Amino acid sequence: MAKTILEFEKPVVELEEKLAEMRKVSGNFDLTDEIKLLEDKVIKLKESIYKGLTRWQRVQLARHPERPYSLDYIYLMTQDFIELHGDRLFKDDKAVVGGFARIDDYKVMIIGQQKGRDTKSNIYRNFGMPNPEGYRKALRLMKLAEKFNRPVITLLDTPGAYPGLEAEERGQAEAIARNLLEMSQLKVPIIVVIIGEGASGGALGMGVGDRILMLENTWYSVISPESCSSILWRSWDYKEQAAEALKLTSSDLLDLKIIDRIIPEPLGGAHKNHEEAAIMLKKALTEELSQLIKIKPDKLVETRIEKFGKMGAYVE
Amino acid sequence: MAWFRRTKENISPETQKKDLPDGLWEKCPECGEILHKKQIESNFWTCTKCSYHFRIGADEYIRLILDEGSFKEMNKKMKSADPLGFVDTKRYSDRIEQTIKNTGLFDAVKTGTGTINKTEVAFGCMDFKFIGGSMGSVVGEKLARLADKAAKSRIPLIIVSASGGARMMEGALSLMQMAKTSARLSVLDREGIPYISIMTDPTTGGTTASYAMLGDINIAEPKALIGFAGPRVIKQTIGRDLPEGFQKSEFLLDHGFVDKVVHRKDMKHTISQLLELMT
């Protein structure tokens, strides 16, 4: 597959290419100093570019087609993953994956929203847009986790719940609503991580938990910038303004006290180094797990309900 | 260029379609019947000919469902705080102030307690007039407190929904209201306190995907639009026309997502009877 290079990544890529060329010819001449100089320059450039990204640019990073997806993280950071299928009601939704796994010493239930990497796999995964059976599959797995007292980890990465005719027939709204209610009462710890796109109810339908974490270059909001632009500006051209207005990045959500923690990504984004990204995610998960497993089930549920109760801003 | 052109103004179709005078008369959008406002009102705000349900606000539902004068409003003056400093073509804070001025409402839901044939209930009613009945922090907080009231006093909860979904201008905070309200309803669920959800035209998006669909009993008014995604978005996505009656109350009844489609004139009686049987 051809590499995808975002507009703002171009200067870095150009320098990196130059560096690679230099390394190639360095067998013939001694270019150690020049290479060192250029390497420093690349790092500095990266730091300055990625620190100053606009919200829209972060959205683009969150959607980067080479980003690690749920199954990538699962394979990179867990052992003994056994994928489980089906909602026992209608079918197996390929946009949602999940099963038992081991993260270090923790036996967990890990569930993710799954995108495809190319056209064929994207059609198979429905571009990561779950149907009602996806939410019901997730709920079945969570109930299973509760039954055997295993913490639940959900990885969110969806452009939205699928807006299709059959999805409505089978109760997309009911499936999401049911999960919100059931997840509120689940008697085992739930850690939610936004690993890419957290689009509205489609993400939240698997997103009620005791800890809400976000990878650095991800977004989470009530609507995508494009749809927001089309509704409020009545044109698709204001997506950048919409992204700014929606305050949808990880640091925005930390400020709004919706999330608990930002998980850093490798310099340049998670797509630059899947292994390193998985190590950082795993570290955060094990830290949170070690805290959460100590809490008694009733207290866990009570605190979770209070946690969401505090979200919002109003004047009386 | 057309072959024939009308030049005389007096026979253009517009002159015949003139609006009805003085705002006392209304045309039924469904069957075209001309009705006097008083006639509509005395018929539970429905068309006398075809039963079309006109869109009405929270005050009308309070009159329709609760015993006269029994409603005691809670948290009446809670207002949005514009947490994002949101600006689109207008400032959100200006939009809020303007809407408060125009509608006399403080946000898109009224909550409180009242009685239905003398049974005390916690009652919440959305109002589509207020920014499309959109759910932001105020709607979420007021409904959450209403659910708490129902839990604490052990009285049934009734919520009438009329909403385009979550309010964009409060971003992720609006989204979280879905989780907040559902979490509080989960407490009622656990405690065995009845919750009846009434869906009216329209109930879509995040509202449907949270409290509106979580009733022990889900009731819909006839022919209301109820769904998750809007029909236009679905049509665009699947690239074909939607079937007749898609996402209407009767469609949801047929697919098993509402218990009953109830005409407005029977709403109070139906709720009362249900509560009688359930509690």
Side-chain angles (χ1 to χ4, degrees):
Chain A
M1 196 174 67
K3 272 221 170 283
T4 307
I5 299 158
L6 301 173
E7 201 52 44
F8 57 87
E9 289 182 313
K10 277 182 183 157
V12 177
V13 173
E14 275 164 23
L15 268 189
E16 277 176 339
E17 275 167 6
K18 217 189 242 172
L19 190 65
E21 230 167 81
M22 259 194 193
R23 285 199 182 112
K24 221 164 39 186
V25 298
S26 68
N28 309 331
F29 319 92
D30 182 19
L31 293 172
T32 323
D33 291 347
E34 284 88 341
I35 288 175
K36 180 86 186 59
L37 213 70
L38 205 53
E39 277 174 348
D40 288 347
K41 208 171 154 191
V42 169
I43 290 172
K44 282 222 180 83
L45 184 67
K46 272 188 183 173
E47 276 170 354
S48 76
I49 287 178
Y50 290 99
K51 217 164 52 197
L53 290 183
T54 65
R55 291 186 171 94
W56 173 246
Q57 287 169 329
R58 298 257 179 225
V59 171
Q60 289 175 294
L61 273 183
R63 290 174 180 166
H64 200 290
E66 283 143 39
R67 256 184 102 77
Y69 296 145
S70 287
L71 281 174
D72 298 312
Y73 284 114
I74 292 173
Y75 288 127
L76 287 168
M77 66 183 188
T78 73
Q79 297 91 49
D80 304 333
F81 173 62
I82 296 197
E83 193 177 347
L84 305 171
H85 294 274
D87 67 348
R88 297 293 189 271
L89 296 163
F90 181 69
K91 71 189 285 194
D92 183 46
D93 191 333
K94 309 290 190 246
V96 174
V97 296
F100 287 113
R102 198 190 293 273
I103 297 181
D104 287 348
D105 295 332
Y106 302 102
K107 293 176 196 167
V108 300
M109 172 62 76
I110 188 159
I111 305 166
Q113 297 171 328
Q114 181 66 36
K115 289 181 178 176
R117 190 113 6 236
D118 51 26
T119 308
K120 200 177 155 201
S121 64
N122 253 321
I123 289 167
Y124 181 71
R125 299 291 182 190
N126 200 29
F127 298 84
M129 293 184 281
N131 273 287
E133 48 273 21
Y135 296 101
R136 293 178 183 136
K137 171 183 181 177
L139 181 59
R140 180 178 83 86
L141 298 183
M142 289 187 261
K143 289 281 187 184
L144 207 56
E146 184 180 47
K147 184 171 178 178
F148 298 104
N149 194 26
R150 296 287 174 261
V152 173
I153 294 163
T154 66
L155 306 177
L156 309 187
D157 188 11
T158 182
Y162 187 59
L165 192 143
E166 290 84 3
E168 294 290 320
E169 284 182 335
R170 295 197 291 275
Q172 189 72 286
E174 193 275 345
I176 292 171
R178 183 69 46 204
N179 279 15
L180 302 182
L181 184 133
E182 295 286 347
M183 290 180 87
S184 302
Q185 291 287 335
L186 206 76
K187 287 188 180 319
V188 290
I190 307 173
I191 304 176
V192 177
V193 192
I194 293 97
I195 60 164
E197 295 190 84
S200 194
L204 183 68
M206 293 167 55
V208 176
D210 306 296
R211 294 284 187 278
I212 318 294
L213 320 178
M214 259 175 110
L215 293 191
E216 192 181 343
N217 298 307
T218 62
W219 71 271
Y220 193 16
S221 192
V222 68
I223 191 166
S224 73
E226 288 91 335
S227 303
C228 181
S229 158
S230 90
I231 295 170
L232 290 181
W233 281 266
R234 296 176 199 284
S235 148
W236 295 97
D237 303 333
Y238 294 86
K239 52 185 190 282
E240 287 159 44
Q241 285 95 319
E244 286 300 315
L246 283 167
K247 302 225 166 35
L248 40 58
T249 66
S250 53
S251 54
D252 290 328
L253 269 83
L254 193 68
D255 289 344
L256 291 168
K257 301 195 170 79
I258 290 173
I259 62 164
D260 301 285
R261 174 173 180 168
I262 296 170
I263 303 169
E265 291 182 21
L267 193 56
H271 60 287
K272 294 281 184 195
N273 191 335
H274 286 201
E275 289 75 16
E276 204 185 322
I279 288 167
M280 289 164 161
L281 175 56
K282 183 178 169 181
K283 181 172 172 285
L285 286 174
T286 49
E287 281 168 15
E288 299 295 348
L289 279 170
S290 72
Q291 298 290 316
L292 289 171
I293 55 163
K294 291 182 206 151
I295 306 170
K296 292 215 167 67
D298 288 351
K299 179 83 189 154
L300 204 59
V301 169
E302 193 189 315
T303 317
R304 191 184 302 146
I305 294 171
E306 271 170 25
K307 175 187 179 64
F308 283 87
K310 283 185 200 133
M311 294 178 192
Y314 45 85
V315 280
E316 289 189 79
Chain B
M1 170 70 106
W3 283 101
F4 301 100
R5 241 176 150 190
R6 272 193 180 139
T7 46
K8 286 187 182 168
E9 289 242 330
N10 59 349
I11 54 164
S12 76
E14 285 94 76
T15 51
Q16 297 169 4
K17 250 177 45 186
K18 225 176 180 177
D19 274 346
L20 296 157
D22 65 23
L24 283 173
W25 297 85
E26 209 161 325
K27 189 174 167 184
C28 170
E30 187 85 7
C31 71
E33 184 80 353
I34 308 291
L35 300 155
H36 194 273
K37 279 254 165 89
K38 289 237 165 83
Q39 209 180 350
I40 298 173
E41 205 178 309
S42 65
N43 202 42
F44 306 92
W45 295 278
T46 64
C47 174
T48 50
K49 195 175 167 199
C50 74
S51 272
Y52 172 81
H53 283 48
F54 287 88
R55 275 187 191 170
I56 54 175
D59 288 332
E60 285 80 15
Y61 278 106
I62 289 166
R63 276 172 62 190
L64 201 70
I65 295 172
L66 298 180
D67 297 339
E68 206 182 327
S70 70
F71 184 64
K72 290 191 199 73
E73 193 169 356
M74 292 158 43
N75 307 118
K76 184 177 174 180
K77 295 193 168 166
M78 192 189 285
K79 279 202 301 185
S80 171
D82 186 17
L84 308 186
F86 195 97
V87 183
D88 50 87
T89 52
K90 245 191 211 175
R91 280 169 179 284
Y92 174 48
S93 52
D94 293 345
R95 204 185 280 266
I96 288 279
E97 287 309 320
Q98 195 60 47
T99 314
I100 290 174
K101 227 161 103 190
N102 293 346
T103 61
L105 300 163
F106 286 88
D107 211 294
V109 74
K110 281 195 175 186
T111 55
T113 55
T115 58
I116 297 177
N117 294 334
K118 294 187 181 136
T119 302
E120 201 189 0
V121 297
F123 188 80
C125 186
M126 301 191 72
D127 200 314
F128 195 76
K129 285 194 293 290
F130 201 97
I131 319 187
S134 54
M135 169 188 41
S137 299
V138 174
V139 170
E141 183 62 23
K142 282 170 88 169
L143 289 177
R145 290 188 193 179
L146 186 69
D148 291 351
K149 172 73 187 160
K152 208 173 149 214
S153 308
R154 299 199 69 87
I155 52 174
L157 172 66
I158 291 152
I159 298 175
V160 181
S161 293
S163 169
R167 189 175 295 166
M168 279 174 280
M169 300 81 154
E170 292 181 29
L173 285 169
S174 292
L175 183 66
M176 293 308 140
Q177 305 310 308
M178 293 169 64
K180 180 199 268 187
T181 51
S182 305
R184 303 289 249 283
L185 289 175
S186 79
V187 176
L188 291 196
D189 186 48
R190 196 180 62 194
E191 299 286 319
I193 293 164
Y195 163 42
I196 298 176
S197 167
I198 297 160
M199 291 175 253
T200 73
D201 188 60
T203 300
T204 58
T207 301
T208 321
S210 59
Y211 51 89
M213 268 294 160
L214 291 173
D216 294 309
I217 311 287
N218 290 338
I219 294 176
E221 282 191 346
K223 293 186 181 162
L225 176 75
I226 302 167
F228 178 64
R232 225 163 11 112
V233 176
I234 298 170
K235 201 175 152 185
Q236 267 172 20
T237 309
I238 64 172
R240 59 193 152 104
D241 284 331
L242 302 170
E244 183 78 20
F246 179 65
Q247 292 185 314
K248 291 298 168 85
S249 304
E250 297 71 17
F251 172 93
L252 273 93
L253 181 72
D254 201 35
H255 285 90
F257 292 99
V258 300
D259 290 280
K260 241 177 148 35
V261 176
V262 176
H263 191 288
R264 221 172 255 166
K265 71 177 160 50
D266 301 320
M267 195 59 87
K268 180 173 181 174
H269 175 71
T270 307
I271 298 169
S272 177
Q273 197 181 341
L274 274 167
L275 292 179
E276 173 88 26
L277 291 166
M278 288 165 79
T279 55

